[in-house]
Amino acid sequence: MLNDKIINLGNLLLSLSDAVDLASNLISSHQQRTAYIAWQICRASDLPEETVKDVFIAGILHDIGAISVDERISMQNLEEIDYDGHCLRGELLLKRYHFFRKTSRIVRDHHKRWFEYEGEPETDITMSSQIIKIADYVERLIDRNMFVLRQKKAVIEKINSMSGTEFNPFLVERFNIISKIESFWLDVTSPRLYSQLFHDGPLKNIEICFTDLETISKLFRDIIDFKSPYTAAHTAGVSSTAGIIAHIFGLADSDILQLKIAGNFHDLGKLAIPNSILDKPEKLTHEEFDIIKCHTYYSYHIINSIKGLEEIAKWGAFHHERLNGKGYPFRIGEKDLSTYSRIIMVADIFTALTENRPYREGMKKKEIICILKDLSEKRHLDMKLAGLVTENFDQISDYVVNIENLIMEFYKSRFANLSHETFEALEPDY
Ligand SMILES: [Fe+2]
Ligand SMILES: [Fe+2]
Ligand SMILES: [Fe+2]
Protein backbone atom coordinates (compact mmCIF):
# COMPACT_ATOMS: atom_id res chain seq x y z
CA MET A 1 0.00 0.00 0.00
CA LEU A 2 2.78 2.44 0.98
CA ASN A 3 4.63 1.74 -2.26
CA ASP A 4 1.59 1.88 -4.52
CA LYS A 5 1.98 4.78 -6.93
CA ILE A 6 -1.26 6.62 -6.50
CA ILE A 7 -0.52 10.35 -6.23
CA ASN A 8 0.15 12.44 -9.30
CA LEU A 9 3.38 14.39 -8.85
CA GLY A 10 2.16 17.32 -10.97
CA ASN A 11 -1.08 17.61 -9.00
CA LEU A 12 0.88 17.54 -5.75
CA LEU A 13 3.61 20.04 -6.63
CA LEU A 14 1.27 22.47 -8.38
CA SER A 15 -0.97 22.58 -5.32
CA LEU A 16 1.93 22.95 -2.93
CA SER A 17 3.40 25.76 -5.02
CA ASP A 18 0.00 27.48 -4.80
CA ALA A 19 0.44 27.47 -1.02
CA VAL A 20 3.79 29.26 -1.33
CA ASP A 21 2.35 31.86 -3.74
CA LEU A 22 -0.89 32.46 -1.85
CA ALA A 23 0.56 35.11 0.42
CA SER A 24 -0.26 38.04 -1.88
CA ASN A 25 -2.11 38.73 -5.12
CA LEU A 26 1.09 40.32 -6.36
CA ILE A 27 2.86 36.96 -6.45
CA SER A 28 -0.01 34.54 -6.97
CA SER A 29 0.88 31.76 -9.41
CA HIS A 30 4.36 33.26 -9.97
CA GLN A 31 6.06 29.89 -9.72
CA GLN A 32 3.49 28.12 -11.92
CA ARG A 33 3.75 30.86 -14.54
CA THR A 34 7.55 30.63 -14.42
CA ALA A 35 7.35 26.84 -14.76
CA TYR A 36 5.08 27.22 -17.81
CA ILE A 37 7.43 29.69 -19.54
CA ALA A 38 10.44 27.49 -18.71
CA TRP A 39 8.62 24.44 -20.09
CA GLN A 40 7.91 26.24 -23.38
CA ILE A 41 11.57 27.33 -23.69
CA CYS A 42 12.57 23.68 -23.12
CA ARG A 43 10.20 22.53 -25.86
CA ALA A 44 11.57 25.09 -28.30
CA SER A 45 15.09 23.92 -27.44
CA ASP A 46 14.38 20.21 -28.06
CA LEU A 47 15.72 19.20 -24.66
CA PRO A 48 15.44 15.58 -23.48
CA GLU A 49 12.27 14.63 -21.60
CA GLU A 50 14.13 14.10 -18.30
CA THR A 51 15.64 17.58 -18.41
CA VAL A 52 12.25 19.10 -19.19
CA LYS A 53 10.79 17.44 -16.08
CA ASP A 54 13.66 18.68 -13.91
CA VAL A 55 13.33 22.24 -15.23
CA PHE A 56 9.58 22.15 -14.69
CA ILE A 57 9.93 20.96 -11.05
CA ALA A 58 12.59 23.61 -10.40
CA GLY A 59 10.26 26.23 -11.91
CA ILE A 60 7.38 25.26 -9.62
CA LEU A 61 9.61 25.39 -6.53
CA HIS A 62 12.29 27.95 -7.43
CA ASP A 63 11.40 30.60 -4.83
CA ILE A 64 10.72 28.40 -1.82
CA GLY A 65 13.81 29.83 -0.12
CA ALA A 66 12.24 33.30 0.14
CA ILE A 67 10.83 33.23 3.64
CA SER A 68 8.93 36.49 3.93
CA VAL A 69 6.13 37.89 1.82
CA ASP A 70 8.00 41.22 1.67
CA GLU A 71 11.03 39.53 0.12
CA ARG A 72 8.80 37.90 -2.51
CA ILE A 73 7.05 41.18 -3.33
CA SER A 74 10.35 43.06 -3.64
CA MET A 75 11.57 40.43 -6.10
CA GLN A 76 8.32 40.54 -8.03
CA ASN A 77 8.72 44.32 -8.38
CA LEU A 78 12.23 43.78 -9.80
CA GLU A 79 13.77 45.75 -6.97
CA GLU A 80 17.55 45.77 -6.53
CA ILE A 81 17.81 43.50 -3.51
CA ASP A 82 20.06 40.64 -2.49
CA TYR A 83 18.93 37.69 -4.58
CA ASP A 84 21.53 35.28 -3.22
CA GLY A 85 19.78 34.55 0.07
CA HIS A 86 16.67 32.87 -1.29
CA CYS A 87 18.69 30.88 -3.86
CA LEU A 88 20.96 29.46 -1.16
CA ARG A 89 18.09 28.82 1.25
CA GLY A 90 16.14 27.12 -1.54
CA GLU A 91 19.14 24.94 -2.35
CA LEU A 92 19.64 24.09 1.32
CA LEU A 93 15.99 23.11 1.85
CA LEU A 94 15.88 20.94 -1.27
CA LYS A 95 19.30 19.36 -0.97
CA ARG A 96 18.45 17.51 2.23
CA TYR A 97 16.23 15.17 0.25
CA HIS A 98 17.58 12.88 -2.46
CA PHE A 99 14.29 13.25 -4.29
CA PHE A 100 15.13 16.94 -4.95
CA ARG A 101 18.87 16.73 -5.38
CA LYS A 102 18.89 17.88 -8.99
CA THR A 103 16.23 20.49 -8.35
CA SER A 104 18.42 21.97 -5.61
CA ARG A 105 21.31 22.52 -8.00
CA ILE A 106 19.07 24.20 -10.58
CA VAL A 107 17.47 26.44 -7.94
CA ARG A 108 20.83 27.49 -6.52
CA ASP A 109 21.81 29.41 -9.67
CA HIS A 110 18.45 30.61 -10.92
CA HIS A 111 19.57 34.26 -10.65
CA LYS A 112 23.15 33.75 -11.85
CA ARG A 113 23.98 35.99 -14.79
CA TRP A 114 25.07 34.45 -18.06
CA PHE A 115 28.41 36.31 -18.19
CA GLU A 116 29.27 34.88 -14.76
CA TYR A 117 29.45 31.41 -16.34
CA GLU A 118 32.40 32.42 -18.56
CA GLY A 119 34.95 29.61 -18.71
CA GLU A 120 32.60 27.10 -17.08
CA PRO A 121 31.48 24.06 -19.07
CA GLU A 122 27.83 24.13 -20.11
CA THR A 123 26.00 21.29 -18.41
CA ASP A 124 22.46 20.11 -18.20
CA ILE A 125 22.19 21.82 -14.79
CA THR A 126 23.65 25.18 -15.83
CA MET A 127 21.38 25.24 -18.89
CA SER A 128 18.39 24.44 -16.69
CA SER A 129 19.21 27.26 -14.25
CA GLN A 130 19.48 29.71 -17.12
CA ILE A 131 16.10 28.66 -18.47
CA ILE A 132 14.54 29.35 -15.05
CA LYS A 133 16.34 32.70 -14.94
CA ILE A 134 14.81 33.87 -18.23
CA ALA A 135 11.37 32.43 -17.40
CA ASP A 136 11.35 34.06 -13.97
CA TYR A 137 12.36 37.44 -15.41
CA VAL A 138 9.75 37.32 -18.17
CA GLU A 139 7.07 36.53 -15.60
CA ARG A 140 8.09 39.44 -13.40
CA LEU A 141 8.19 41.85 -16.34
CA ILE A 142 4.52 41.20 -17.04
CA ASP A 143 2.38 43.96 -15.53
CA ARG A 144 -0.55 42.20 -13.90
CA ASN A 145 -2.77 45.25 -14.39
CA MET A 146 -2.40 45.40 -18.16
CA PHE A 147 -3.69 43.13 -20.95
CA VAL A 148 -0.79 40.84 -21.75
CA LEU A 149 -0.88 41.15 -25.55
CA ARG A 150 -0.52 44.93 -25.20
CA GLN A 151 2.81 44.49 -23.42
CA LYS A 152 4.40 41.48 -25.08
CA LYS A 153 6.47 43.63 -27.46
CA ALA A 154 8.02 45.57 -24.56
CA VAL A 155 8.79 42.36 -22.65
CA ILE A 156 10.45 40.76 -25.71
CA GLU A 157 12.54 43.90 -26.31
CA LYS A 158 13.67 44.02 -22.70
CA ILE A 159 14.73 40.35 -22.70
CA ASN A 160 16.62 40.80 -25.97
CA SER A 161 18.39 43.89 -24.63
CA MET A 162 19.86 41.66 -21.88
CA SER A 163 20.91 38.81 -24.20
CA GLY A 164 24.62 38.01 -23.99
CA THR A 165 25.01 39.68 -20.57
CA GLU A 166 22.23 38.53 -18.23
CA PHE A 167 20.83 35.80 -20.44
CA ASN A 168 22.19 32.99 -22.59
CA PRO A 169 21.80 34.18 -26.26
CA PHE A 170 20.84 30.69 -27.47
CA LEU A 171 17.97 30.56 -24.97
CA VAL A 172 16.87 34.11 -25.80
CA GLU A 173 16.60 32.96 -29.43
CA ARG A 174 14.40 30.04 -28.28
CA PHE A 175 12.29 32.46 -26.26
CA ASN A 176 11.92 34.66 -29.36
CA ILE A 177 10.37 31.72 -31.21
CA ILE A 178 7.68 30.98 -28.61
CA SER A 179 7.01 34.61 -27.75
CA LYS A 180 5.66 35.22 -31.27
CA ILE A 181 2.69 33.00 -30.44
CA GLU A 182 -0.27 34.82 -28.87
CA SER A 183 -1.49 31.73 -27.04
CA PHE A 184 1.83 31.55 -25.20
CA TRP A 185 1.08 34.88 -23.51
CA LEU A 186 -2.57 34.02 -22.97
CA ASP A 187 -1.54 30.75 -21.30
CA VAL A 188 0.94 32.47 -18.98
CA THR A 189 -1.75 34.78 -17.65
CA SER A 190 -4.65 32.35 -17.85
CA PRO A 191 -6.58 31.80 -14.60
CA ARG A 192 -6.85 28.17 -15.73
CA LEU A 193 -3.10 27.66 -15.94
CA TYR A 194 -3.10 25.17 -13.03
CA SER A 195 -5.38 22.72 -14.81
CA GLN A 196 -3.49 23.15 -18.07
CA LEU A 197 -0.19 22.32 -16.37
CA PHE A 198 -1.80 19.43 -14.52
CA HIS A 199 -3.43 17.84 -17.57
CA ASP A 200 -0.78 18.60 -20.23
CA GLY A 201 2.41 19.41 -18.30
CA PRO A 202 5.60 17.31 -18.17
CA LEU A 203 4.58 15.60 -14.90
CA LYS A 204 1.15 14.48 -16.09
CA ASN A 205 2.06 10.78 -16.13
CA ILE A 206 4.27 10.63 -13.04
CA GLU A 207 2.68 8.96 -10.05
CA ILE A 208 4.39 8.66 -6.67
CA CYS A 209 3.83 6.52 -3.58
CA PHE A 210 3.21 7.49 0.05
CA THR A 211 6.87 6.97 0.94
CA ASP A 212 7.89 9.64 -1.61
CA LEU A 213 5.00 11.79 -0.46
CA GLU A 214 6.39 11.70 3.06
CA THR A 215 9.72 13.05 1.79
CA ILE A 216 7.97 15.87 -0.07
CA SER A 217 5.84 16.61 2.99
CA LYS A 218 9.06 17.01 5.03
CA LEU A 219 10.31 19.62 2.58
CA PHE A 220 7.09 21.59 3.08
CA ARG A 221 7.29 21.04 6.83
CA ASP A 222 10.64 22.88 6.73
CA ILE A 223 9.35 25.66 4.45
CA ILE A 224 6.43 26.30 6.83
CA ASP A 225 8.43 26.10 10.05
CA PHE A 226 11.47 28.07 8.99
CA LYS A 227 9.34 31.14 8.34
CA SER A 228 9.77 32.00 12.00
CA PRO A 229 12.38 31.16 14.67
CA TYR A 230 9.56 30.67 17.19
CA THR A 231 7.98 27.85 15.24
CA ALA A 232 11.10 26.42 13.60
CA ALA A 233 10.32 22.95 14.93
CA HIS A 234 6.54 23.15 15.42
CA THR A 235 5.42 21.07 12.45
CA ALA A 236 8.11 18.48 13.11
CA GLY A 237 6.84 18.35 16.69
CA VAL A 238 3.21 17.88 15.65
CA SER A 239 4.06 15.24 13.07
CA SER A 240 6.23 13.21 15.42
CA THR A 241 3.77 13.56 18.31
CA ALA A 242 0.96 12.34 16.05
CA GLY A 243 3.17 9.44 14.93
CA ILE A 244 4.00 8.27 18.43
CA ILE A 245 0.43 8.69 19.71
CA ALA A 246 -0.80 6.61 16.77
CA HIS A 247 1.86 4.01 17.53
CA ILE A 248 0.88 3.75 21.21
CA PHE A 249 -2.79 3.74 20.19
CA GLY A 250 -2.04 0.67 18.06
CA LEU A 251 -2.64 1.94 14.54
CA ALA A 252 -1.10 0.15 11.55
CA ASP A 253 2.22 1.35 10.08
CA SER A 254 0.54 2.66 6.94
CA ASP A 255 -1.85 4.76 9.04
CA ILE A 256 1.02 6.07 11.14
CA LEU A 257 2.91 7.18 8.03
CA GLN A 258 -0.17 8.94 6.65
CA LEU A 259 -0.77 10.65 9.99
CA LYS A 260 2.81 11.92 9.99
CA ILE A 261 2.22 13.30 6.48
CA ALA A 262 -1.01 14.97 7.71
CA GLY A 263 1.06 16.44 10.55
CA ASN A 264 3.64 17.80 8.12
CA PHE A 265 0.91 19.51 6.09
CA HIS A 266 -1.34 20.63 8.95
CA ASP A 267 -0.18 24.28 8.97
CA LEU A 268 0.47 24.57 5.23
CA GLY A 269 -1.91 27.54 5.05
CA LYS A 270 0.41 29.49 7.37
CA LEU A 271 2.49 30.22 4.27
CA ALA A 272 -0.25 32.71 3.37
CA ILE A 273 -0.14 34.47 6.76
CA PRO A 274 2.23 37.45 7.12
CA ASN A 275 5.20 37.06 9.49
CA SER A 276 4.18 40.28 11.23
CA ILE A 277 1.16 38.40 12.61
CA LEU A 278 2.82 35.01 13.17
CA ASP A 279 5.70 36.56 15.14
CA LYS A 280 3.78 39.27 16.97
CA PRO A 281 4.90 39.30 20.61
CA GLU A 282 1.76 41.06 21.87
CA LYS A 283 -1.76 39.68 21.99
CA LEU A 284 -3.37 39.56 18.54
CA THR A 285 -6.19 41.98 17.70
CA HIS A 286 -9.55 40.54 16.55
CA GLU A 287 -8.70 41.43 12.96
CA GLU A 288 -5.33 39.67 13.19
CA PHE A 289 -6.88 36.60 14.76
CA ASP A 290 -9.40 36.48 11.89
CA ILE A 291 -6.45 36.34 9.50
CA ILE A 292 -4.86 33.52 11.55
CA LYS A 293 -8.13 31.59 11.29
CA CYS A 294 -7.69 31.42 7.51
CA HIS A 295 -4.62 29.19 7.74
CA THR A 296 -6.47 25.90 8.25
CA TYR A 297 -9.02 26.89 5.62
CA TYR A 298 -6.13 27.16 3.13
CA SER A 299 -4.47 24.00 4.45
CA TYR A 300 -7.67 22.05 3.85
CA HIS A 301 -8.38 23.28 0.34
CA ILE A 302 -4.79 22.99 -0.87
CA ILE A 303 -4.40 19.40 0.37
CA ASN A 304 -7.92 18.44 -0.70
CA SER A 305 -7.12 19.54 -4.27
CA ILE A 306 -4.60 16.69 -4.49
CA LYS A 307 -6.32 13.51 -5.63
CA GLY A 308 -5.74 10.71 -3.15
CA LEU A 309 -5.16 13.02 -0.18
CA GLU A 310 -8.79 13.87 0.61
CA GLU A 311 -8.67 12.04 3.96
CA ILE A 312 -5.25 13.43 4.87
CA ALA A 313 -6.67 16.92 4.21
CA LYS A 314 -9.29 16.34 6.91
CA TRP A 315 -6.84 14.83 9.37
CA GLY A 316 -4.37 17.69 9.02
CA ALA A 317 -6.56 20.71 8.52
CA PHE A 318 -9.16 20.12 11.23
CA HIS A 319 -6.70 20.67 14.07
CA HIS A 320 -8.37 23.86 15.32
CA GLU A 321 -11.85 22.30 15.24
CA ARG A 322 -13.25 21.13 18.58
CA LEU A 323 -15.46 18.21 19.59
CA ASN A 324 -18.06 20.67 20.90
CA GLY A 325 -18.18 22.43 17.53
CA LYS A 326 -16.62 25.65 18.83
CA GLY A 327 -13.37 25.47 16.88
CA TYR A 328 -12.54 27.15 13.57
CA PRO A 329 -12.94 27.69 10.65
CA PHE A 330 -15.43 24.94 9.69
CA ARG A 331 -17.11 24.66 13.11
CA ILE A 332 -17.60 20.95 12.72
CA GLY A 333 -18.13 18.80 15.80
CA GLU A 334 -17.39 15.28 17.06
CA LYS A 335 -19.42 13.41 14.46
CA ASP A 336 -17.17 14.77 11.70
CA LEU A 337 -13.90 14.45 13.59
CA SER A 338 -12.33 11.03 13.02
CA THR A 339 -9.81 9.46 15.40
CA TYR A 340 -7.09 10.56 12.96
CA SER A 341 -8.21 14.21 13.06
CA ARG A 342 -8.45 13.98 16.85
CA ILE A 343 -4.88 12.70 17.08
CA ILE A 344 -3.58 15.73 15.15
CA MET A 345 -5.72 18.04 17.34
CA VAL A 346 -4.12 16.65 20.52
CA ALA A 347 -0.65 16.58 18.90
CA ASP A 348 -0.95 20.25 17.87
CA ILE A 349 -1.93 21.41 21.35
CA PHE A 350 0.64 19.23 23.11
CA THR A 351 3.40 20.58 20.85
CA ALA A 352 2.27 24.21 21.13
CA LEU A 353 2.23 24.03 24.93
CA THR A 354 5.80 22.72 25.09
CA GLU A 355 7.17 25.43 22.78
CA ASN A 356 8.54 28.86 23.64
CA ARG A 357 6.46 31.62 22.12
CA PRO A 358 7.16 35.36 21.74
CA TYR A 359 4.78 35.99 24.65
CA ARG A 360 5.56 33.02 26.97
CA GLU A 361 7.99 30.22 27.82
CA GLY A 362 7.26 26.58 26.99
CA MET A 363 5.25 24.87 29.75
CA LYS A 364 6.27 22.08 32.10
CA LYS A 365 4.77 18.58 32.41
CA LYS A 366 2.41 19.31 35.33
CA GLU A 367 0.92 22.37 33.68
CA ILE A 368 0.48 20.63 30.31
CA ILE A 369 -1.27 17.63 31.89
CA CYS A 370 -3.60 20.01 33.71
CA ILE A 371 -4.48 21.87 30.49
CA LEU A 372 -5.06 18.64 28.53
CA LYS A 373 -7.44 17.43 31.27
CA ASP A 374 -9.31 20.72 31.28
CA LEU A 375 -9.62 20.78 27.47
CA SER A 376 -10.95 17.23 27.31
CA GLU A 377 -13.48 17.97 30.07
CA LYS A 378 -14.70 20.97 28.06
CA ARG A 379 -15.00 18.67 25.01
CA HIS A 380 -12.36 20.51 23.06
CA LEU A 381 -10.21 17.40 22.82
CA ASP A 382 -10.84 13.66 22.78
CA MET A 383 -10.68 12.46 26.38
CA LYS A 384 -9.22 9.05 25.57
CA LEU A 385 -6.40 10.51 23.48
CA ALA A 386 -5.62 13.29 25.96
CA GLY A 387 -5.48 10.57 28.65
CA LEU A 388 -3.13 8.50 26.49
CA VAL A 389 -0.76 11.47 26.21
CA THR A 390 -0.89 12.02 29.98
CA GLU A 391 -0.21 8.36 30.75
CA ASN A 392 2.72 8.17 28.32
CA PHE A 393 3.92 11.73 28.81
CA ASP A 394 7.63 11.04 29.32
CA GLN A 395 7.91 8.58 26.43
CA ILE A 396 6.15 10.98 24.05
CA SER A 397 8.00 14.03 25.29
CA ASP A 398 11.48 12.45 25.08
CA TYR A 399 10.84 11.21 21.56
CA VAL A 400 9.45 14.52 20.31
CA VAL A 401 12.01 16.77 22.03
CA ASN A 402 14.82 14.75 20.48
CA ILE A 403 13.41 15.34 16.99
CA GLU A 404 12.70 19.01 17.65
CA ASN A 405 16.28 19.51 18.86
CA LEU A 406 17.68 18.02 15.64
CA ILE A 407 15.53 20.35 13.55
CA MET A 408 16.39 23.38 15.71
CA GLU A 409 20.08 22.57 15.40
CA PHE A 410 19.77 22.46 11.60
CA TYR A 411 17.72 25.67 11.58
CA LYS A 412 20.12 27.64 13.77
CA SER A 413 23.44 26.38 12.44
CA ARG A 414 22.60 26.04 8.74
CA PHE A 415 19.43 27.79 7.67
CA ALA A 416 19.67 30.95 9.76
CA ASN A 417 23.43 31.18 9.15
CA LEU A 418 23.74 30.88 5.43
CA SER A 419 27.02 30.46 3.65
CA HIS A 420 28.14 29.36 0.22
CA GLU A 421 29.37 26.03 1.59
CA THR A 422 28.57 22.88 -0.31
CA PHE A 423 27.57 19.70 1.42
CA GLU A 424 26.30 16.30 0.54
CA ALA A 425 22.57 15.65 0.44
CA LEU A 426 21.48 14.16 3.72
CA GLU A 427 18.10 12.63 4.13
CA PRO A 428 17.19 13.35 7.74
CA ASP A 429 15.49 10.48 9.50
CA TYR A 430 13.06 12.72 11.34
FE1 LIG B 1 14.05 33.81 -7.41
FE1 LIG C 1 10.90 33.86 -8.99
FE1 LIG D 1 -2.57 25.64 13.19
Side-chain angles (χ1 to χ4, degrees):
M1 144 80 190
L2 293 180
N3 293 320
D4 289 352
K5 304 214 173 222
I6 52 169
I7 299 141
N8 180 270
L9 183 64
N11 190 191
L12 175 72
L13 294 182
L14 289 165
S15 287
L16 295 177
S17 96
D18 260 348
V20 180
D21 289 354
L22 210 64
S24 159
N25 286 339
L26 300 169
I27 57 169
S28 65
S29 304
H30 166 70
Q31 296 184 107
Q32 285 173 16
R33 288 159 66 144
T34 300
Y36 171 81
I37 299 166
W39 173 35
Q40 297 308 314
I41 295 174
C42 287
R43 289 174 91 178
S45 312
D46 281 331
L47 295 178
E49 211 175 300
E50 269 312 300
T51 307
V52 180
K53 283 178 200 157
D54 292 333
V55 170
F56 189 76
I57 293 174
I60 297 178
L61 299 175
H62 73 278
D63 278 335
I64 58 165
I67 39 179
S68 77
V69 182
D70 289 347
E71 187 180 2
R72 290 291 309 277
I73 292 173
S74 298
M75 294 197 297
Q76 194 67 26
N77 292 336
L78 298 164
E79 287 170 23
E80 293 285 332
I81 57 160
D82 170 27
Y83 282 83
D84 263 6
H86 81 284
C87 296
L88 289 172
R89 280 191 296 268
E91 181 199 20
L92 185 60
L93 287 167
L94 291 159
K95 207 171 193 168
R96 302 174 81 202
Y97 305 105
H98 288 288
F99 193 95
F100 290 115
R101 188 108 198 252
K102 211 162 170 193
T103 316
S104 77
R105 291 164 66 200
I106 300 173
V107 165
R108 180 193 177 106
D109 287 333
H110 79 270
H111 285 284
K112 185 168 172 177
R113 297 157 158 182
W114 186 69
F115 70 79
E116 292 173 323
Y117 284 99
E118 208 183 320
E120 286 182 38
E122 191 159 72
T123 66
D124 194 28
I125 300 284
T126 60
M127 193 70 156
S128 302
S129 293
Q130 291 170 69
I131 292 173
I132 302 293
K133 180 173 170 67
I134 297 185
D136 171 75
Y137 206 85
V138 169
E139 201 290 319
R140 290 185 289 145
L141 281 173
I142 297 170
D143 179 344
R144 292 178 179 229
N145 297 313
M146 195 195 286
F147 177 45
V148 71
L149 295 183
R150 289 276 78 79
Q151 47 178 325
K152 76 182 198 11
K153 188 166 170 272
V155 174
I156 295 167
E157 278 171 11
K158 180 75 182 167
I159 295 295
N160 277 272
S161 75
M162 296 158 89
S163 177
T165 52
E166 287 286 325
F167 304 130
N168 178 325
F170 168 78
L171 293 174
V172 173
E173 281 312 311
R174 302 294 107 184
F175 167 71
N176 287 338
I177 295 169
I178 55 170
S179 63
K180 288 192 178 75
I181 306 166
E182 283 83 357
S183 67
F184 164 79
W185 297 97
L186 297 173
D187 284 343
V188 174
T189 52
S190 166
R192 301 196 53 75
L193 182 61
Y194 179 115
S195 65
Q196 192 178 339
L197 296 176
F198 176 24
H199 294 296
D200 303 329
L203 307 180
K204 68 178 181 208
N205 294 323
I206 302 182
E207 311 292 326
I208 60 162
C209 61
F210 273 105
T211 312
D212 289 335
L213 175 65
E214 197 211 1
T215 300
I216 297 175
S217 76
K218 284 179 181 172
L219 169 70
F220 279 80
R221 167 197 75 190
D222 299 343
I223 297 170
I224 299 158
D225 280 0
F226 294 174
K227 253 175 88 91
S228 159
Y230 296 106
T231 57
H234 172 73
T235 305
V238 172
S239 177
S240 51
T241 306
I244 190 166
I245 292 175
H247 174 74
I248 297 169
F249 194 73
L251 296 182
D253 284 353
S254 62
D255 285 349
I256 295 173
L257 183 90
Q258 290 184 67
L259 259 171
K260 285 166 106 174
I261 293 169
N264 285 336
F265 284 146
H266 83 287
D267 269 343
L268 193 60
K270 273 199 183 157
L271 293 171
I273 311 295
N275 279 43
S276 56
I277 297 182
L278 293 177
D279 292 346
K280 189 176 170 188
E282 300 86 31
K283 198 172 184 299
L284 296 178
T285 64
H286 285 301
E287 291 75 20
E288 287 164 340
F289 192 56
D290 281 343
I291 294 172
I292 287 277
K293 283 178 179 172
C294 300
H295 83 277
T296 38
Y297 177 84
Y298 296 136
S299 294
Y300 177 74
H301 286 290
I302 292 162
I303 308 165
N304 192 45
S305 68
I306 303 160
K307 193 165 179 302
L309 301 194
E310 296 82 356
E311 286 304 308
I312 287 183
K314 291 180 195 163
W315 304 353
F318 289 169
H319 64 274
H320 292 296
E321 304 299 330
R322 298 293 173 247
L323 296 183
N324 62 11
K326 290 186 179 164
Y328 67 81
F330 300 106
R331 301 216 170 232
I332 50 176
E334 55 191 332
K335 74 173 187 1
D336 295 311
L337 292 166
S338 66
T339 300
Y340 303 89
S341 298
R342 295 175 191 210
I343 289 175
I344 304 278
M345 285 159 65
V346 172
D348 183 56
I349 292 197
F350 172 82
T351 310
L353 294 176
T354 59
E355 288 168 333
N356 292 332
R357 287 291 152 87
Y359 46 88
R360 63 153 171 83
E361 288 283 296
M363 293 180 194
K364 299 280 175 284
K365 177 177 175 180
K366 215 171 141 194
E367 213 176 342
I368 295 172
I369 289 177
C370 221
I371 292 176
L372 290 177
K373 186 168 176 282
D374 182 52
L375 291 176
S376 52
E377 281 168 4
K378 286 181 179 153
R379 292 180 54 246
H380 286 217
L381 295 179
D382 184 285
M383 192 165 280
K384 204 168 150 197
L385 290 169
L388 182 146
V389 173
T390 302
E391 282 158 31
N392 300 279
F393 193 94
D394 293 338
Q395 184 193 350
I396 295 173
S397 177
D398 290 351
Y399 174 75
V400 174
V401 166
N402 183 33
I403 289 171
E404 287 176 338
N405 286 344
L406 289 169
I407 297 260
M408 268 307 197
E409 163 70 21
F410 174 82
Y411 173 79
K412 284 184 185 157
S413 65
R414 311 300 278 274
F415 192 81
N417 274 315
L418 276 182
S419 71
H420 281 267
E421 63 178 329
T422 52
F423 61 95
E424 286 307 297
L426 170 71
E427 180 107 26
D429 56 0
Y430 41 85

